[in-house]
Structures are given as C-alpha cells and as structure tokens.
Amino acid sequence: MAEHEFDVVIVGAGGAGMRAALESSQRARTAVLTKLYPTRSHTGAAQGGMAAALGNVEDDSVEWHVFDTVKGGDYLVDQDAAEILCAEAVDAVLDLEKMGLPFNRTEDGHIDQRRFGGHTRSHGEAAVRRSCYSADRTGHMILQTLYQQCIKQEVEFFNEYYVLDLVLTEDPQAAAPGAEVAVAGVVALELSTGEIHTFRAKSVIFATGGAGKVFKTTSNAHTLTGDGMAIALRAGLPLEDMEFFQFHPTGLAGLGILLSEAARGEGAILRNSEGERFMERYAPTIKDLAPRDVVARAMANEVREGRGAGPNKDYVLLDLTHLEPAHIDEKLPDITEFARTYLGVEPYTEPVPVYPTAHYAMGGIPTNVQGEVLRNNTDVVKGLYAAGEVACVSVHGANRLGTNSLLDINVFGRRAGIAAADYANATAEAPELPGDASEALAARVGQLKATVGTTGAERIAELRKALQETMDRNVQVFRTAESLAEATGVIEEIKGRYANIAIHDRGSRFNTDLLEAIELGFLIDLSEVVVAGALAREESRGGHYREDFPTRDDEKFMVHTMAYVGADGVRLDHKPVVVTKYQPMERKY
Amino acid sequence: MTAVAETPANAGTVPTIEVTLRIRRVDPEGTEDSKPGEEYWSQFTVTAHATDRVLDALHKIKWERDGSLAFRRSCAHGVCGSDAMRINGKNRLACKTLLKDLNPARPITVEPIAGLPVEKDLIVDMEPFFASYREIMPFLMTSGPTPERERLQTPEQRARFDDTTKCIMCAACTTACPVFWTDGQYFGPQAIVGAHRFIFDSRDEGQWDRLEILNDKAGVWKCRTAFNCTEACPRGIEVTKAISEVKKALTTGEI
C-alpha cells in the first residue's frame, strides 16, 4: 500500500474535474485521480454545444435562459442555482475561447450560435440561437482544451487510478444534525499494478460523471457506471432526484449511439412511418425543438400507437434529406458518419432510424451552489465537493435542456475547484486517515479474487445484462407502479445473485474483470435507488413519466427526493425546491 | 466466419455469423498456460452479427469465455480513442471496425498497437505517447493583455486548422509509423498533428517556438511520408498533409 497527501484531491478527469483542477491547482497542491486517461472521458462525446446568452447572432438574455432552464426542468430546478448557471455562462464560454477552444465563427469572427431544444426567446415565443458550438464535437473540443490547459499548468494526474472508497471523519447518517463531518481522503486501486493507494486530503472533489450503464440502451460509455454516486451512497450520503433520468430522443436505433439535437437545431425533422412531422401535434410552437423529455415521450408514443418505422415498427426517422450536403458536412460531420458507419444509412438521401436512449442523470450527489456536498437537507460535509453529472445542484430539475450540461461542468467545476482550494488553504491539517482506511477495499478485492476458479458461480456479464434489460423494460420513458414493482423484484434477485459472482482473472495487473465486478455492484445499488424514487413519486414531471399518474402534482411533489441507503435498504426523504422568481405553470411548447 | 442462417434473413434482421478471433496476448504475471511475460496467441470462435463491431466480439469473449482478456475501451463509438489496436495488420479502433468489413474467410487477428511497451494483452503503456504530445506545447500561446470578449477569428481562419482539431489521441497514427517503430527519439505523427492544430490557429503566437521544437532532430524531418498515419487515422485526418504543411512552414518561414 502506498500513501499520499494532497491539499485537494479531484476524482475524475472529464470536463468538471479538469475545470476544477485548473482553478484548484493554481491555489493549492492538487492531484487528479482518474479511472481513464483524461482524454477518454465522456465529456468528449458531447456534441451539440454549450448554452450562453452571448447574443452574438440575435437578441438573447440571461433571464430568458434562466426561465427556459426552470421550465425545461419542469419546475424542480433550484432557481438560485439556475440564476448562477445562466449568469456565469457568458464568462464560462469566453474563458474557454481564451484558452483556445476553436468555436465555430460568424462571418464577422465572433462565436457562432445555433438553436437547441427548449431554448427560446421571450419566455417561449420561438427558438433562439443560444448554443455556442464547434461543429458536432463541442464536448471533444472542451475536453481537449481543458486537458491542454492542464498540461500547461502541469496539473498532477494519477491516470488509471480507480477511486473506490471515500473516507469521512464520522458516519454522516449517525452524526447529529449540525455536528461536524469532514472529509479525510479517498482510497484508490492503481489499475496497472493492482496496488491500493490512500490519499489523505483536506478537500476532495467528486467529478466522476454519470451512470448511464444502469440502462441497456444508452449513449453512455461502458465506463459510466455511477462510481462516484455509489461510493457516496455507501459512505452514508444521500442521492438527490435519482428517479429523473433523461432519455435523449435521437439515439441510433438499436444501438443508442447519440445523434445530437444539433441535427434538429440545424433543421432536421422527426417523422413517423407515415412521413408525418408528428412533433407538430405534441409541441405546436417549437415542434422538433421541444425539450428532450417531451420529444422522447412523443417518439415512444408514436411507436406504441403503431406509427413506428422499420420492419418491426420500433423506431422513428430523423430526416436530414432536405438539408444541403455541404451544410451537413460543415455542421454535423461526426453524427452523419455514425449513421453511415453503424447503420449503413446515408443521411444525405435517407432518413436515419432513431429511438430514445438513456443519456443523462439529472440527479446525483446533492450540493449547494459552491459545490459543497450535503449530508442531509442543510448540513454540508466539510471539504467534500461534487460537480458535473455526478452532482445535483439542482440546475436541471426534472429534465435537463440540451447544451446545459457542458455549461454545468464549466460553471460548477470552476466553482468547486475554487471553493475546495480555499477551504484547503483555510484548514491547517487534513483529518488523520484511520489506520485501517484501506482495509475495506483490500478485503473487497481479496474476496472477489478468491472467487477465481469457483464453479457454479454467477457471471458478471449475465447479471449486468439482466439488470440493464429490466431497467430498459420497466424504468424507461413510460413507468407504472406495476413496471416499477417488477424492476424492484428483479433487482432484488440480482442483488442476491451478485453475492455469488466469480471473476476469472487471477492477476493483479490491469484486472479489468475485477473492475467490471466492482462496477456492477455500483450499478445494482444505483438501480435500486432510481426505482425506489420512481415508485414513490406518484406524479409525472420532466423525465419521470408515470402512466398511472400522468399529471404533475405540485402540491405533493414539488420537492426533491433525498434517498439514503442504510441497513434497512433505501429510505426516502424530501428537500424543498428553491423558488425565487418563477411560480410553476403548465408546461406547453 | 461463415453464415449460419441458411435461409435469407428477414428484412431488418441481421444474420448471425461465426467469427474466429486470434488474439496476441501476454500476461506479465503469467497464466496457467504461459510464463510471465511470454507472448502467446489465443483463438476464440464466437457467434456474432455481421454488423457487430470488433469490440463487441472482444466483449463477447471476455464476458462469456475468458474474463482475463485485457483491453481498454470506453465510448464504443469512435470518439474517446481508448481501443486502438492492430486488426488484421492495420491500426484501427475496435469500436469503429465492423465484422462485415473484414475478410470473412479467415480468422481476424488482433494485436496491440506497435512501438509502445505492452502491459498486458492488448493494453500498451501510453505514457511515452502522451509525453511526446506534451513536448510540443499543445496549448494556445498569446501575448498582450487578455481581451474582454472573444478573440476574433473568421470562418476561413477557423477552417485552416479544422482537420487537426479532430484528433482523439488514440495513437493509431503514431504506432503505424515505421520511423516511430525503429527510432525511439521521433515524436511521431500525433504530436505533429497536435502542433499543427496550434501553429495554424490565427490566434496563436507560439508557432515559432513549436516549429523550432519540430525542427529538432527528433522532429518532422524524420517523416519519410509513408502515409501509414493517414491511412490509420480513424478520424480521417490527413496526417501526412499536416506534417507536410509543418515542413513547408519550416522551409519557407511562412505560415
């Protein structure tokens, strides 16, 4: 075992982690621990853009952006946080440009902007050009630019170090309200050697990304297994609003690979098997550019009512054929190549088969606007921060608007980086790591490795498939008490079988078999929380749609869900939504 | 890889095929059948769909047959750059190579990318590769006060370096380069692509510093224009052209 000590430890090197590192490493001694090489992070898969009311191509205002974000989130957004997100958006974009990000440009040389779902002028009048973009690889350019700046600043990375335990000074559930609970550090597995490392730190920032792999059909990378969320949950911390998962309307049918909403922003149209532009019926004003929850539901409904396209009538069509090929090549080169490579479809001349794909967790580790992690509705864990998809601030409420996540990682990654470094600098010494800090992980690894050669044991891949399939079948766009009860039963069964899994790799170096076993454990824990929250929320709001409760119920449910896991399983509580300016209204587009 | 479905497939269903993968492997700790560090080949025949990726076949092997098979992967659709490997002798991304596009009559060989130390099976040590990238100062360099708003850049200026912004640092180009294989000093094509992206960015003022680095004996003059890099790039970047543009800038002193 090796021991390290830093002022600030950042877990995860995607957009939020590296944006935090750029701030933190200027102020305090910082280490970035990452399961993947930084440039492999899934921020790089984001396509369409980053929202900011620059007003470079038409009138726009921060206030309109706030309104759209609150309405898009179906009024579950904490409005104070959304105000910060949208107000700081302009500088967040300009900062990236100054770091060298190659945005697309207007004829006069300014950052170009385009339309995106749910972003409107004058509170819903018409779509507005708010997304700052770099072709359809904006996330790639953000990840590259932040990594380049980290190289310039000589940020210290621990690549392929997989953090698996969070060490706190007290059990956050046992500690009395108001009592001090602080972070002491993290425990990590070095993948190349199998060695366990402890990192003592005054501040820890979790920026580990999402958990899309709880579903089978997803735009998310294989590595997005909700590690940070599950580690927090196991450390006794709550997760907020986990029942709200975004299904992106346009995943490549059958594969789930993302086709950016930018396609519709550039003029593409969704059609059913009859060739009808069906979004006119569901969102008469902004049609195909309605928010993702609305479009995904409309698509699923078209398929359910028999108007799906293809031999099995199980998808709809994204039509770009009326766009000029030169325009497509300039603005949407990557996603059209995905259609060619993976479906053999030529988007110049043929419509592309698409269906909703699990895309983004609106929920996560609850934080305040400084990125500090909450251990209940009011108390923070001293020195512990979270930012990006792993966190729930909550700026996305019940449904995130497209281009608000690349914004989120930059605004709240920056804030968390500054706050974590400031806290570290104001703290004389990090709490002592207990002598047995690494023992739990060592025991877990030892236990899993002891299963090598076990006969009659369960296979990781089989259990993962069963889990993901029940989540797709029962917890996707449409949910009912019945479907959620079925999912609960299946998850319970899988949990039992997980106790009996065996791995096959006996080695220490790059034991990716062991890694997948650990990741599956995280996915099971998170699925349980997602389903419990969805079952208890007897209303429909944003990305959470209950067919047995098809309307929004503000009286009972305009509250955040706080899920805790203890010895007795999942316990649900509520946290009030922060409303500053916008009272809930009917959500029409 | 022979078709299993005897009857023509129904419209919209993809026939399954049997496909054999021969994988070059090494385990630094040794296995039941191999000594520590000893290279060996594993062969697996799996049932797959013709439209599956090589990555899907590797997963099927790992998940159903041999959990110890080690390879890197993440996004599975060609944007993260984790799974560059040598497939039938060519550098490609396993997640962007469809089984149907490979020769169906013969086993598919899968090897680690060449020229970097192999750590285990298909996993190589990427550190020397990233070290070369860091050496070319891959970040915007400017002088003078920071402007309040964005620096202006016309669409034409932006287009000048568009191609090299696509790089995902998968190392397919560098590890396809015969000079890189034999010359431990050479930066390799990717680092030059990384430099090109800034040298031809109208906002950047560090181009001459970078060009001086590339003018070094480990730099662009090592390139023998074999075009392997261009052929290997899964992003379609014209790597050799980018290198030639850097050479030309050094010769003419003009950008």
Side-chain angles (χ1 to χ4, degrees):
Chain A
M1 196 194 70
E3 295 174 13
H4 310 260
E5 195 172 336
F6 286 88
D7 291 329
V8 180
V9 163
I10 298 172
V11 184
M18 289 203 284
R19 189 67 188 82
L22 289 178
E23 299 301 329
S24 166
S25 65
Q26 287 182 25
R27 299 168 168 86
R29 199 167 157 258
T30 300
V32 183
L33 279 56
T34 168
K35 173 163 92 161
L36 304 167
Y37 272 90
T39 56
R40 311 308 183 209
S41 306
H42 211 55
T43 295
Q47 298 165 354
M50 173 168 166
L54 294 183
N56 275 4
V57 289
E58 60 181 321
D59 268 355
D60 198 1
S61 85
V62 167
E63 195 269 323
W64 295 347
H65 187 185
V66 179
F67 173 81
D68 289 339
T69 300
V70 171
K71 182 182 170 189
D74 219 348
Y75 296 92
L76 199 68
V77 170
D78 286 328
Q79 296 182 13
D80 56 340
E83 285 165 11
I84 289 170
L85 178 81
C86 303
E88 294 185 5
V90 175
D91 277 339
V93 166
L94 295 177
D95 283 350
L96 286 169
E97 195 285 327
K98 288 166 198 168
M99 291 179 198
L101 196 140
F103 284 107
N104 275 44
R105 299 290 173 153
T106 62
E107 282 309 317
D108 64 357
H110 292 90
I111 295 169
D112 196 14
Q113 298 187 273
R114 67 178 164 203
R115 299 189 182 100
F116 237 80
H119 290 281
T120 70
R121 74 171 136 80
S122 309
H123 311 105
E125 240 176 55
V128 73
R129 295 174 194 271
R130 186 177 290 148
S131 164
C132 309
Y133 67 100
S134 185
D136 54 356
R137 51 176 188 279
T138 315
H140 165 78
M141 296 316 329
I142 288 177
L143 191 69
Q144 293 285 324
T145 302
L146 293 176
Y147 180 60
Q148 290 156 356
Q149 291 296 308
C150 284
I151 291 174
K152 186 179 177 189
Q153 282 192 31
E154 300 181 356
V155 170
E156 194 169 345
F157 287 102
F158 290 77
N159 294 321
E160 297 185 320
Y161 276 59
Y162 190 17
V163 169
L164 288 166
D165 272 325
L166 170 65
V167 186
L168 306 177
T169 53
E170 305 282 336
D171 174 352
Q173 287 196 44
E180 182 171 306
V181 178
V183 76
V186 295
V187 187
L189 188 68
E190 183 184 4
L191 298 178
S192 65
T193 60
E195 194 180 355
I196 292 175
H197 295 251
T198 60
F199 289 79
R200 184 182 173 197
K202 296 173 184 171
S203 298
V204 170
I205 304 175
F206 266 31
T208 57
K213 280 286 158 181
V214 298
F215 292 95
K216 187 176 178 207
T217 307
T218 175
S219 64
N220 283 200
H222 284 285
T223 43
L224 284 173
T225 47
D227 307 335
M229 297 173 187
I231 290 165
L233 194 66
R234 289 179 182 182
L237 297 170
L239 295 180
E240 181 175 346
D241 290 341
M242 289 297 286
E243 63 270 33
F244 293 101
F245 213 96
Q246 177 163 86
F247 299 93
H248 192 292
T250 52
L252 278 186
L255 290 167
I257 294 171
L258 180 67
L259 290 193
S260 175
E261 197 169 318
R264 283 170 284 140
E266 298 288 351
I269 289 167
L270 288 164
R271 299 187 189 280
N272 59 23
S273 59
E274 293 157 17
E276 183 202 9
R277 182 181 193 179
F278 58 85
M279 281 312 299
E280 286 177 334
R281 277 186 279 120
Y282 297 89
T285 308
I286 54 176
K287 303 179 182 76
D288 298 86
L289 285 175
R292 291 172 177 175
D293 59 328
V294 176
V295 180
R297 258 193 310 280
M299 290 167 65
N301 196 54
E302 289 300 296
V303 165
R304 204 160 59 159
E305 293 183 354
R307 292 185 296 276
N312 301 317
K313 294 180 161 293
D314 58 355
Y315 53 76
V316 302
L317 298 165
L318 181 68
D319 184 1
L320 294 83
T321 57
H322 54 290
L323 304 180
E324 282 297 320
H327 183 70
I328 291 176
D329 289 350
E330 193 197 332
K331 301 294 178 70
L332 307 165
D334 282 7
I335 61 165
T336 43
E337 192 195 320
F338 297 155
R340 289 181 198 114
T341 304
Y342 296 108
L343 290 184
V345 167
E346 176 45 68
Y348 294 158
T349 53
E350 298 168 85
V352 183
V354 289
Y355 198 74
T357 180
H359 185 58
Y360 187 87
M362 267 74 74
I365 302 172
T367 73
N368 62 22
V369 295
Q370 306 308 332
E372 290 176 289
V373 171
L374 294 164
R375 68 178 175 93
N376 53 37
N377 285 6
T378 46
D379 295 321
V380 299
V381 177
K382 293 270 182 198
L384 183 61
Y385 303 80
E389 192 174 346
V390 71
C392 180
V393 184
S394 151
V395 287
H396 308 306
N399 170 66
R400 174 174 71 73
L401 291 186
T403 67
N404 267 357
S405 63
L406 289 180
L407 176 58
D408 177 5
I409 58 175
N410 279 287
V411 167
F412 289 101
R414 175 177 170 275
R415 283 181 156 250
I418 294 170
D422 286 351
Y423 175 81
N425 290 335
T427 304
E429 209 177 356
E432 285 286 342
L433 275 182
D436 61 354
S438 65
E439 269 174 32
L441 178 57
R444 202 149 30 120
V445 168
Q447 210 172 10
L448 280 166
K449 284 177 77 173
T451 66
V452 173
T454 313
T455 49
E458 299 283 357
R459 279 184 178 275
I460 300 163
E462 227 168 89
L463 291 193
R464 186 175 47 217
K465 186 165 171 251
L467 178 74
Q468 292 170 337
E469 284 180 351
T470 198
M471 292 298 284
D472 267 20
R473 196 166 54 245
N474 298 309
V475 199
Q476 224 231 21
V477 175
F478 296 118
R479 302 162 173 184
T480 63
E482 203 184 339
S483 76
L484 294 166
E486 189 188 315
T488 309
V490 175
I491 295 166
E492 184 100 340
E493 186 218 321
I494 290 169
K495 213 175 175 181
R497 291 169 64 191
Y498 181 76
N500 194 31
I501 57 163
I503 64 166
H504 295 93
D505 192 339
R506 65 184 68 239
S508 301
R509 294 166 186 260
F510 284 108
N511 192 332
T512 49
D513 203 19
L514 174 75
L515 187 74
E516 288 191 30
I518 294 171
E519 289 173 332
L520 174 60
F522 291 156
L523 292 176
I524 294 170
D525 287 6
L526 293 175
S527 300
E528 212 175 13
V529 171
V530 171
V531 174
L535 197 54
R537 186 172 282 275
E538 296 182 329
E539 65 154 355
S540 290
R541 181 187 297 272
H544 170 70
Y545 189 83
R546 285 283 299 264
E547 289 188 89
D548 40 357
F549 299 93
T551 54
R552 198 175 75 197
D553 181 351
D554 288 331
E555 209 162 299
K556 266 172 85 180
F557 289 108
M558 208 176 111
V559 284
H560 297 293
T561 303
M562 297 284 272
Y564 300 78
V565 169
D568 309 326
V570 181
R571 177 173 67 83
L572 299 177
D573 198 359
H574 291 146
K575 187 169 73 125
V577 173
V578 179
V579 175
T580 57
K581 197 168 173 187
Y582 306 104
Q583 291 304 317
M585 296 187 312
E586 195 192 349
R587 191 158 161 260
K588 275 186 176 166
Y589 285 97
Chain B
M1 198 163 91
T2 50
V4 162
E6 292 297 316
T7 50
N10 295 327
T13 61
V14 183
T16 56
I17 52 170
E18 300 244 310
V19 55
T20 300
L21 276 79
R22 279 188 77 231
I23 305 169
R24 191 159 97 190
R25 304 183 62 177
V26 63
D27 189 326
E29 298 164 278
T31 66
E32 280 169 345
D33 309 311
S34 73
K35 294 194 199 85
E38 182 191 24
E39 281 194 5
Y40 65 104
W41 290 86
S42 280
Q43 186 161 316
F44 301 91
T45 301
V46 294
T47 306
H49 295 285
T51 51
D52 283 351
R53 300 157 267 203
V54 170
L55 179 64
D56 296 316
L58 289 171
H59 269 146
K60 216 165 153 74
I61 293 165
K62 182 172 182 64
W63 293 343
E64 294 172 14
R65 306 280 289 280
D66 182 353
S68 73
L69 178 64
F71 52 90
R72 291 192 182 99
R73 90 285 186 258
S74 189
C75 78
H77 65 285
V79 298
C80 80
S82 297
D83 64 348
M85 40 189 93
R86 202 171 157 96
I87 300 168
N88 282 352
K90 284 186 180 168
N91 281 3
R92 319 173 197 239
L93 298 181
C95 64
K96 228 182 158 178
T97 307
L98 269 48
L99 296 175
K100 69 179 173 65
D101 298 329
L102 297 168
N103 181 359
R106 301 177 64 86
I108 297 165
T109 62
V110 184
E111 300 165 84
I113 46 178
L116 292 168
V118 179
E119 300 244 31
K120 181 179 177 182
D121 295 344
L122 302 169
I123 295 177
V124 299
D125 178 7
M126 295 292 287
E127 192 41 44
F129 169 81
F130 281 105
S132 289
Y133 180 66
R134 288 195 295 268
E135 274 194 63
I136 54 93
M137 300 190 284
F139 37 79
L140 193 73
M141 292 194 268
T142 57
S143 60
T146 309
E148 204 173 306
R149 295 286 293 193
E150 67 260 53
R151 291 189 168 83
L152 298 183
Q153 180 169 60
T154 67
E156 292 69 34
Q157 290 171 324
R158 168 67 180 75
R160 182 70 189 85
F161 63 102
D162 185 66
D163 200 36
T164 43
T165 66
K166 295 175 191 162
C167 176
I168 56 173
M169 296 201 263
C170 66
C173 61
T174 293
T175 61
C177 173
V179 181
F180 178 79
W181 295 336
T182 52
D183 186 332
Q185 302 286 306
Y186 181 39
F187 289 126
Q190 192 283 330
I192 303 171
V193 165
H196 179 283
R197 176 254 169 274
F198 287 102
I199 290 168
F200 294 94
D201 184 335
S202 58
R203 299 168 297 173
D204 188 73
E205 294 167 42
Q207 56 273 67
W208 297 109
D209 297 320
R210 264 183 227 101
L211 282 166
E212 198 178 305
I213 294 169
L214 293 174
N215 198 22
D216 184 84
K217 59 182 185 314
V220 287
W221 305 112
K222 293 265 183 189
C223 168
R224 289 284 169 267
T225 49
F227 279 93
N228 285 20
C229 51
T230 301
E231 202 187 326
C233 179
R235 302 283 292 144
I237 300 169
E238 293 182 274
V239 182
T240 315
K241 185 178 164 202
I243 296 172
S244 303
E245 287 174 356
V246 171
K247 285 178 180 170
K248 192 174 164 209
L250 277 168
T251 321
T252 62
E254 281 170 29
I255 286 166

